[in-house]
Amino acid sequence: MTSQPTMTKADSGPGSPGDPGTGLQAGLKNRHLSMIAIGGVIGAGLFVGSSSGIATAGPGILLSYALVGTLVVLVMRMLGEMSAANPTSGSFSAHADRALGPWAGFSIGWLYWFFWVVVLAVEATAGAAILEGWIPAVPQWAWALIVMVVLTATNLASVGSYGEFEFWFAGIKVVAIAAFIVVGGLAVFGLLPGVDSDQAGLANLTEHGGFLPNGPGAILTGVLLVVFSFMGSEIPTLAAGESEDPQRAVTKATNSIIWRIAVFYLGSIFVVVALLPWDSQSIIDKGSYVAALDSLGIANAGQIMNFIVLTSVLSCLNSGLYTASRMAFSLGQRGDAPKAFARTTGRGVPRTAILVSVVFGFVAVFFNYKFPDSVFLFLVNSSGAVALFVWLVICFSQLRMRKIIKAEAPEKLVVRMWLYPYLTWAAAALIVFVLGYMLTDTEHNGRTTVLLSLLVAAIVLVVAVVKQKIAGGRRAEAEAVPADTAAKS
């Protein structure tokens, strides 16, 4: 493997010396990064997956979201500390390479790439299902192909094109959720003109079996159901390497994560469980947000929510392709992937990394249509726990990286993890606990997800160790040759 990155130069920053091609370029504007940071925590999973969490934990799902949200805030603070000191498109993978060793950067980088190419297939299929419902003349597989091709072209054009698309996608999500919270909140307190909802009210939080109708244990089960909807909060730290002011972008995204989670997740879920009884059948049948809008008598609530979900799906696809390609680019730079991955076009676009990522996305889409209950199910389950693996690696990297930064460039500690190292260890312990609890969960497929994800992680880790040993052997041979030559002379 190549030498580890230093603290003094971002390994894949805009115009970095030594980059193959022209290197990545600073094509993302501050407004792009701001909206990417805000929209990054609002995934389609919030709209689609929240109904099962509510049905499992009742109003107590708020505690599940609060617990996971707190964990994400802590992890993002750690990542922000490292990324503000060394902005790079490799983000936590590059930091792990530096702090823990090449094996760690290789393993978590490829696992993260694998996660996002599977997400491409999941989101493309979800978006195609909505579009087919609107225009049934076009088959679902064709819609999946169309959205993948369009967003691939967007990413290939320039990083600015990705940023502009994501700015508007994220903007629609933000406006939609903000409007939902305002309208729903007014209805909960009986202040919405023209709406007389006999179901809405704070009493829904305590009636119908109480705040925890299924007991305290349901909070942890709820954690398992909502934890993966937070994946994406780390994207701003990858995108910062292509921004006008990387350090400022990372610092701003890190500092704003608390209110973003509080407003968009806790705020919107609070409105849902206050508008309707948690055990309302409509939440399961229609989905939590559609059911909430329907309860207010808003016409075409289902179609409105389908449009918002489609926007979230396209946003996730757009960011997923960007994120996967930048991680592949960083792996290529560090010698952990083919060198072609690190080559860029004149516009600073890693074309090969994008195309390879989208090809694997297309393959996964094919598996989804041909082998949905076997091959594709394996792919989804085996990538399901990667978010927790990434967060755990960030924790251990930060424990080591803080010492490295303080020793080499203490002035770069512009973002600091709170109560270091105690909160870092607490976050790591919570992640391990969640993984352990998942192993006991057979009802929601938690055990299968963890075991298959661990299997894939073990395979990648073995490849990393073997690769490192081979590279070490070659270096030893190269160093031995000059020594032998000198001895003979």
Side-chain angles (χ1 to χ4, degrees):
M1 290 191 182
T2 56
S3 59
Q4 299 174 11
T6 65
M7 282 304 308
T8 55
K9 181 177 81 69
D11 72 308
S12 54
S16 298
D19 282 351
T22 59
L24 300 180
Q25 297 180 1
L28 293 176
K29 300 177 181 178
N30 288 332
R31 66 182 178 88
H32 293 155
L33 261 294
S34 297
M35 198 56 75
I36 289 170
I38 295 173
V41 294
I42 310 173
L46 174 63
F47 302 109
V48 179
S50 56
S51 56
S52 58
I54 294 172
T56 299
I61 194 66
L62 286 167
L63 297 181
S64 302
Y65 274 103
L67 189 60
V68 179
T70 301
L71 177 60
V72 171
V73 168
L74 295 178
V75 171
M76 276 297 294
R77 188 73 183 183
M78 300 175 219
L79 183 54
E81 176 181 294
M82 296 184 288
S83 295
N86 185 29
T88 163
S89 65
S91 188
F92 51 84
S93 174
H95 303 322
D97 188 296
R98 168 69 168 162
L100 304 177
W103 64 270
F106 177 99
S107 301
I108 206 63
W110 277 114
L111 284 173
Y112 190 70
W113 178 86
F114 172 61
F115 170 85
W116 279 110
V117 295
V118 173
V119 166
L120 291 180
V122 173
E123 300 296 339
T125 304
I130 295 174
L131 290 167
E132 185 189 30
W134 291 344
I135 309 176
V138 180
Q140 193 177 111
W141 67 266
W143 278 121
L145 179 65
I146 290 170
V147 296
M148 289 276 276
V149 169
V150 169
L151 293 178
T152 300
T154 299
N155 275 265
L156 285 173
S158 68
V159 68
S161 298
Y162 155 72
E164 199 63 31
F165 267 69
E166 191 57 25
F167 176 82
W168 291 106
F169 286 152
I172 292 172
K173 288 191 293 185
V174 169
V175 170
I177 288 202
F180 175 81
I181 293 173
V182 171
V183 172
L186 290 174
V188 168
F189 294 102
L191 301 175
L192 187 63
V195 172
D196 182 21
S197 177
D198 56 353
Q199 300 182 88
L202 296 179
N204 284 326
L205 300 177
T206 53
E207 294 180 355
H208 309 282
F211 186 71
L212 295 172
N214 296 323
I219 297 173
L220 292 177
T221 305
V223 165
L224 306 186
L225 297 175
V226 306
V227 65
F228 305 111
S229 66
F230 283 84
M231 194 65 168
S233 55
E234 72 291 336
I235 292 176
T237 64
L238 283 91
E242 294 174 84
S243 68
E244 299 168 338
D245 188 348
Q247 190 177 78
R248 178 176 178 271
V250 169
T251 303
K252 188 175 180 180
T254 302
N255 291 336
S256 64
I257 187 70
I258 297 176
W259 71 260
R260 286 184 278 135
I261 288 177
V263 171
F264 296 121
Y265 276 84
L266 293 178
S268 63
I269 293 297
F270 168 80
V271 168
V272 170
V273 294
L275 283 176
L276 284 169
W278 70 272
D279 54 356
S280 172
Q281 187 60 37
S282 61
I283 291 180
I284 298 297
D285 294 340
K286 302 176 182 179
S288 52
Y289 287 81
V290 174
L293 290 177
D294 268 344
S295 73
L296 300 179
I298 295 178
N300 300 313
Q303 292 304 322
I304 292 172
M305 191 50 60
N306 274 340
F307 173 74
I308 296 171
V309 171
L310 178 62
T311 303
S312 296
V313 164
L314 295 177
S315 171
C316 193
L317 265 173
N318 194 36
S319 287
L321 183 53
Y322 171 84
T323 305
S325 65
R326 267 41 178 195
M327 184 57 72
F329 171 85
S330 178
L331 288 166
Q333 277 204 321
R334 287 178 275 138
D336 291 338
K339 291 182 179 179
F341 284 21
R343 296 196 184 101
T344 56
T345 65
R347 291 176 173 267
V349 174
R351 179 188 295 160
T352 302
I354 291 175
L355 292 176
V356 170
S357 299
V358 81
V359 164
F360 275 88
F362 277 127
V363 170
V365 169
F366 170 77
F367 285 145
N368 192 13
Y369 285 112
K370 288 294 184 181
F371 313 104
D373 299 322
S374 54
V375 179
F376 187 71
L377 187 62
F378 169 81
L379 292 176
V380 172
N381 285 332
S382 61
S383 65
V386 167
L388 292 169
F389 295 165
V390 167
W391 295 347
L392 194 59
V393 167
I394 289 173
C395 291
F396 290 129
S397 297
Q398 192 265 338
L399 286 169
R400 170 69 178 144
M401 204 64 170
R402 166 69 74 90
K403 298 175 182 177
I404 296 176
I405 298 172
K406 288 189 72 173
E408 297 184 359
E411 72 281 359
K412 292 189 175 184
L413 275 173
V414 294
V415 176
R416 289 176 179 263
M417 176 58 184
W418 306 297
L419 297 178
Y420 169 87
Y422 307 108
L423 275 183
T424 302
W425 279 112
L430 180 57
I431 294 169
V432 172
F433 174 78
V434 171
L435 285 168
Y437 188 77
M438 287 180 71
L439 289 173
T440 69
D441 175 45
T442 55
E443 182 181 355
H444 301 98
N445 225 23
R447 176 183 295 175
T448 302
T449 297
V450 171
L451 292 177
L452 289 179
S453 295
L454 284 172
L455 173 63
V456 172
I459 293 172
V460 174
L461 185 58
V462 168
V463 173
V465 172
V466 171
K467 185 178 187 305
Q468 188 172 345
K469 286 186 176 181
I470 292 174
R474 288 175 178 172
R475 280 197 299 269
E477 290 177 2
E479 291 170 359
V481 171
D484 291 343
T485 303
K488 291 178 181 179
S489 61

